[in-house]
Amino acid sequence: MSPRKIIIDTDPGQDDAVAILLALASPEDLDLLGITCVAGNVPLPLTSKNARIVCEAAGHPHVPIYAGSKAPLCRPLITAEHVHGQTGLDGPDLWEPDMPLAEGHGVDFIIDTLRREPAGTVTLCTLGPLTNIAAAFNTAPDIIERVQEVVMMGGAYFEVGNITPAAEFNIYVDPEAAEILFRSGAPITVMPLDVTHKVLATKPRTAAIRALNSRVGTFTADMLDFFERFDVEKYGSEGGPLHDPCVIAWLLQPGLFSGRHVNVEIETGSDLTLGMTVADWWGVTDRKPNALFIGDADADGFFKLLTERLARL
């Protein structure tokens, strides 16, 4: 069976970086056509720089990486240096990447790729705000029916919010973009906080990655040691949640996860609950299901997969 073709849309971010590494370590399963960067955890110049650093750390300097949207569709940019540090990848010693950005805009790359590849063969893996995806769908609505699936990290139901009491960061940064996606009719799988908060990089799990004694192992462990401090202090958890790698792990081993097909709507009009993912988990409305909303994960199985794959790099 041929590897699944994917585009990663991302705003690295330590957890985004681990997701990219997991994809690069799985070429028999995933054909990474390119990476598109978006402003989110940090501004676009840093997210597009960080994606290149990660690919160089993995020994994959030929992955095409595109700069995309530098701000949400219609709102000022909100960033998360308080979580990820001023670089977005605080923890390891960073460097100026040698690999250049690919020419062109990330949104154009998404459009051109979906038009070029056979319909139903490209999956969009979104790890940050959904600005690039919404811009592509708005500009070229013909591509929507050509998408195999959108697998996204974002939103929450039982865990409610991590940037406001009601909203998860990726959705809150550009709720209008999220609304466009959820109303598009494209097949969607959602990795919300409800599942990512169950996938914790505890000290033993991070130590197992460091024990790989490789450049990637050390790079990843250094990121996770920094990244965990925020969530451990905030939630009193045993480690930081690895949000974005859940997207890639779902593609590799969907049996690690479980969820429900439900209706998901995005709140865009309320100051109090802006960016809330209103997931009809209990089926109390007659709104048509539009997403597979993941609610649980085998955390030990997830980290076994992650550690084994990172050992390849």
Side-chain angles (χ1 to χ4, degrees):
M1 192 172 178
S2 299
R4 184 167 180 161
K5 298 175 183 178
I6 66 170
I7 295 172
I8 292 179
D9 187 71
T10 181
D11 61 337
Q14 290 89 350
D15 56 326
D16 306 69
V18 178
I20 293 169
L21 292 171
L22 181 56
L24 291 173
S26 307
E28 74 278 24
D29 298 301
L30 302 174
D31 179 8
L32 180 55
L33 303 179
I35 295 173
T36 54
C37 299
V38 65
N41 286 323
V42 287
L44 183 65
L46 284 175
T47 63
S48 54
K49 175 183 176 180
N50 291 347
R52 289 178 286 155
I53 288 174
V54 172
C55 287
E56 288 187 356
H60 286 265
H62 303 299
V63 176
I65 299 176
Y66 294 83
S69 302
K70 63 182 180 181
L73 294 179
C74 56
R75 296 179 185 272
L77 176 64
I78 296 167
T79 55
E81 288 89 350
H82 63 289
V83 178
H84 299 276
Q86 292 303 306
T87 68
L89 285 185
D90 279 19
D93 293 329
L94 302 179
W95 60 91
E96 286 296 322
D98 291 324
M99 63 185 293
L101 283 171
E103 293 185 6
H105 195 282
V107 171
D108 294 328
F109 171 74
I110 292 170
I111 294 170
D112 293 344
T113 302
L114 286 167
R115 284 176 171 170
R116 180 185 70 245
E117 298 292 338
T121 65
V122 177
T123 294
L124 303 177
C125 301
T126 72
L127 314 180
L130 291 157
T131 314
N132 285 338
I133 307 305
F137 284 8
N138 277 347
T139 302
D142 60 286
I143 67 174
I144 296 173
E145 64 181 13
R146 301 182 67 83
V147 175
Q148 181 176 3
E149 184 181 8
V150 178
V151 185
M152 57 169 287
M153 190 278 132
Y157 179 69
F158 295 99
E159 288 285 313
V160 287
N162 64 351
I163 188 68
T164 74
E168 179 275 330
F169 177 81
N170 286 344
I171 306 298
Y172 183 73
V173 169
D174 200 342
E176 286 78 15
E179 182 179 49
I180 287 167
L181 172 61
F182 280 98
R183 293 186 175 180
S184 70
I188 303 170
T189 296
V190 185
M191 295 290 165
L193 299 181
D194 306 296
V195 66
T196 67
H197 279 183
K198 296 173 182 176
V199 180
L200 300 178
T202 61
K203 290 190 182 302
R205 289 166 175 166
T206 300
I209 293 172
R210 188 177 297 281
L212 296 174
N213 290 320
S214 65
R215 183 186 188 190
V216 164
T218 301
F219 183 80
T220 301
D222 286 348
M223 286 193 296
L224 296 183
D225 281 345
F226 177 88
F227 184 56
E228 75 163 7
R229 95 224 178 278
F230 178 81
D231 288 280
V232 168
E233 181 178 339
K234 180 178 180 180
Y235 298 110
S237 59
E238 295 181 355
L242 276 190
H243 308 285
D244 294 325
C246 288
V247 168
I248 306 302
W250 162 261
L251 297 177
L252 298 176
Q253 289 188 17
L256 294 173
F257 301 90
S258 61
R260 297 182 184 179
H261 285 278
V262 302
N263 178 268
V264 180
E265 302 288 339
I266 307 298
E267 177 57 60
T268 61
S270 166
D271 290 338
L272 186 64
T273 58
L274 181 68
M276 184 176 184
T277 44
V278 183
D280 188 10
W281 184 261
W282 302 113
V284 297
T285 75
D286 59 0
R287 294 194 290 266
K288 183 179 179 181
N290 60 353
L292 176 59
F293 204 79
I294 302 299
D296 204 0
D298 174 357
D300 287 337
F302 170 92
F303 277 95
K304 181 175 185 289
L305 170 68
L306 176 63
T307 306
E308 287 176 351
R309 293 297 170 100
L310 292 181
R312 301 173 170 188
L313 295 173

